Amino acid sequence: MTMDAAAESSESRLSSSQLNKNKPFHNDESCPKEVLPVRGCGSRNTSPSGRIGSRSTSPSRQKVVKTKPRGLDEETFATFGKAVHPDVQMEDNIWAMLPEDLFNEILARVPPFMIFRLRSVCKRWNSILQDNSFLKFHSEVPSHGPCLLTFWKNSQTPQCSVFSLPLKTWYRIPFNFLPQWAFWLVGSAGGLVCFSGLDGLIFRALVCNPLTQTWRTLPSMNYNQQRQLIMVVDRTDKSFKVIATSDIYGDKSLPAEVYDSKIDKWTVHQIMPAVNLCSSKMAYCDSRLYLETLSPLGLMMYRLDSGYWEHIPAKFPRSLLDGYLVAGTQKRLFLVGRIGLYSTLQSMRIWELDHAKIMWVEISRMPPKYFRALLRLSAERFECFGQDNLICFTSWNQGKGLIYDVEKKVWSWIAGCALQSYNSQVCFYEPRFDASVR
């Protein structure tokens, strides 16, 4: 029996009303179910009536029809109460004797957002997320893949939606488990999401796991002032760090501070040399933190292992209007920005830092049709962020998202109501149950 059959047999005993009752995660009904092209949209008719009158052929000559992943959209979700294979009897007493380790190994391979819809099956499945054996299996299976996490506040109520790139589906995540103080999204790494904000008059940071609905507030910093933060995760020892540096509008005389979850405290590091920051956007690549500077021109690099700052004289491309640093895989550092002084001549380009020659090398340009659709006005603002070798562009006014795969050189649109809020904040997110906030 395959893994899919095991998951389907468990869900076949549930009605649609049972699955929808009190589920914390659900497909966003108001958003498009599929916002990217889906290959193989055909469905397979498995009912007995569907086979009447069909010509019997050998398995080797039967045409293979690609289908959507089961249980991952509204169409297949509505058929959970039906028998997918009516000629196969799923004996409850046999499946009840499934060994615990085999059960955990199967469940660890189920898409993470689908597991939450299965928690209402029984108490055993509801408590599986805290089971150490399940978390061990889950940490060893391949990642679900990248997602986009969109966070915003609606009438002071935190709202969050996640778009799964592998499944091409939006999921709404409840965020009412967080404290009621003013905070905004910092970023995500290794399944954890970091926020910062003001708890009264104190500047604080908190880290949470949206899947397990767990969170904790980090200790107060040594200097109680608003800072620019970035979070990094070390999966080998299951720890994380939060780095606080000078903000473009803040006090530049403050030293850098680093929080380490292993010792649960902030440590003070070297003060960043007097520079004129070009942007507060940062990128963490190969245990180094990079910031753009205008004076001196180039990059300011912070070595996390030694705690020292270093200037890199990498000149920016000419006529660069706005630039974003994006970290890629294998020590790759990208610069993304618009080029051109006039609206009719503007274009979006991507450069990669040549560490040996200390210069930016252009590697790609956004096609004009995508650029015009993303930014209709020359002064329109946009955001850019990345994960691995994926770069995402979002427009504040258009409610659109555009993803570029650096390796495949492919551009793909992402649409949906979760990107249409003017105050929404977006970042890449990797759903993981084994990511701990401790």
Side-chain angles (χ1 to χ4, degrees):
M1 184 62 62
T2 64
M3 176 184 66
D4 291 338
E8 291 168 356
S9 66
S10 301
E11 289 194 352
S12 64
R13 299 194 295 272
L14 296 176
S15 63
S16 298
S17 60
Q18 287 175 318
L19 284 173
N20 284 297
K21 184 179 180 181
N22 298 328
K23 62 183 180 182
F25 287 70
H26 58 280
N27 287 17
D28 197 336
E29 299 294 339
S30 59
C31 294
K33 298 303 178 292
E34 296 168 356
V35 295
L36 289 177
V38 180
R39 288 176 237 166
C41 294
S43 59
R44 181 176 60 181
N45 189 349
T46 58
S47 63
S49 59
R51 296 196 295 267
I52 296 178
S54 62
R55 186 178 63 178
S56 177
T57 59
S58 62
S60 61
R61 298 185 58 187
Q62 289 179 357
K63 182 180 180 181
V64 178
V65 181
K66 294 183 179 180
T67 62
K68 303 175 185 177
R70 298 174 188 165
L72 305 180
D73 54 22
E74 288 295 322
E75 179 182 352
T76 53
F77 171 74
T79 65
F80 279 174
K82 302 177 183 179
V84 179
H85 300 285
D87 54 337
V88 178
Q89 297 296 327
M90 310 301 293
E91 298 292 342
D92 294 344
N93 57 344
I94 296 179
W95 288 101
M97 296 184 295
L98 190 67
E100 187 74 19
D101 56 344
L102 182 58
F103 170 78
N104 289 331
E105 188 170 356
I106 293 175
L107 196 61
R109 285 168 169 77
V110 176
F113 302 110
M114 185 178 175
I115 293 181
F116 277 89
R117 299 200 297 197
L118 302 177
R119 292 195 301 172
S120 59
V121 173
C122 60
K123 293 182 179 180
R124 179 189 179 192
W125 285 34
N126 186 46
S127 61
I128 195 67
L129 301 183
Q130 288 77 36
D131 186 79
N132 292 329
S133 58
F134 165 76
L135 296 178
K136 179 179 180 298
F137 279 110
H138 179 75
S139 63
E140 296 173 352
V141 300
S143 171
H144 166 77
C147 300
L148 287 179
L149 184 143
T150 305
F151 175 82
W152 74 99
K153 286 191 176 182
N154 185 11
S155 300
Q156 299 303 316
T157 302
Q159 305 286 338
C160 181
S161 291
V162 174
F163 180 76
S164 170
L165 270 68
L167 307 182
K168 302 177 177 62
T169 307
W170 283 101
Y171 294 92
R172 179 66 59 86
I173 301 180
F175 255 62
N176 51 7
F177 64 94
L178 294 180
Q180 298 298 317
W181 42 275
F183 54 85
W184 53 89
L185 179 65
V186 171
S188 175
L192 299 177
V193 181
C194 182
F195 293 89
S196 66
L198 296 175
D199 182 9
L201 298 178
I202 303 176
F203 179 73
R204 292 188 180 276
L206 67 85
V207 176
C208 71
N209 185 334
L211 288 184
T212 59
Q213 306 276 281
T214 56
W215 66 277
R216 73 182 179 100
T217 304
L218 303 187
S220 300
M221 299 181 185
N222 295 276
Y223 296 87
N224 182 31
Q225 291 194 32
Q226 181 175 331
R227 314 288 293 278
Q228 186 72 15
L229 306 180
I230 190 170
M231 181 178 64
V232 296
V233 171
D234 189 343
R235 292 183 179 174
T236 57
D237 57 4
K238 297 182 178 180
S239 64
F240 65 89
K241 291 182 174 68
V242 178
I243 309 171
T245 65
S246 299
D247 188 89
I248 187 173
Y249 303 110
D251 187 355
K252 298 180 179 58
S253 64
L254 296 177
E257 294 192 46
V258 178
Y259 171 82
D260 191 338
S261 64
K262 292 185 292 186
I263 60 177
D264 192 27
K265 63 180 297 186
W266 293 89
T267 56
V268 178
H269 289 231
Q270 183 189 23
I271 299 176
M272 184 172 63
V275 296
N276 183 11
L277 290 176
C278 179
S279 170
S280 293
K281 301 297 181 181
M282 302 182 291
Y284 184 81
C285 178
D286 189 31
S287 301
R288 293 170 173 84
L289 184 66
Y290 294 90
L291 294 91
E292 302 173 72
T293 61
L294 288 177
S295 177
L297 185 64
L299 299 174
M300 192 59 66
M301 180 183 67
Y302 176 74
R303 294 180 178 271
L304 190 61
D305 51 357
S306 62
Y308 289 99
W309 291 94
E310 179 182 339
H311 177 252
I312 301 178
K315 296 183 178 180
F316 295 116
R318 303 182 67 177
S319 303
L320 180 65
L321 298 179
D322 39 27
Y324 289 86
L325 294 177
V326 177
T329 58
Q330 299 178 353
K331 304 180 181 181
R332 302 183 72 180
L333 181 66
F334 304 114
L335 174 65
V336 182
R338 285 184 290 187
I339 286 289
L341 300 178
Y342 304 99
S343 59
T344 56
L345 301 177
Q346 286 185 6
S347 63
M348 190 80 70
R349 305 186 187 186
I350 303 175
W351 298 266
E352 182 176 354
L353 180 63
D354 187 326
H355 295 273
K357 298 180 180 180
I358 314 180
M359 62 180 297
W360 294 103
V361 179
E362 183 177 330
I363 61 173
S364 182
R365 297 188 183 186
M366 182 182 294
K369 63 177 181 179
Y370 291 107
F371 180 77
R372 290 192 297 266
L374 182 71
L375 301 174
R376 298 181 180 178
L377 302 176
S378 59
E380 193 167 359
R381 296 184 61 183
F382 73 98
E383 292 288 338
C384 178
F385 52 93
Q387 175 177 297
D388 295 334
N389 287 325
L390 295 178
I391 302 176
C392 182
F393 302 81
T394 59
S395 173
W396 282 33
N397 298 328
Q398 301 302 324
K400 293 181 178 180
L402 181 64
I403 288 185
Y404 178 65
D405 191 319
V406 177
E407 291 293 334
K408 299 179 181 179
K409 301 186 181 301
V410 175
W411 299 85
S412 304
W413 283 110
I414 292 180
C417 63
L419 294 175
Q420 294 176 357
S421 177
Y422 72 94
N423 62 346
S424 62
Q425 305 160 54
V426 192
C427 69
F428 274 108
Y429 165 66
E430 179 188 0
R432 298 208 63 87
F433 292 111
D434 57 326
S436 174
V437 299
R438 299 296 175 184

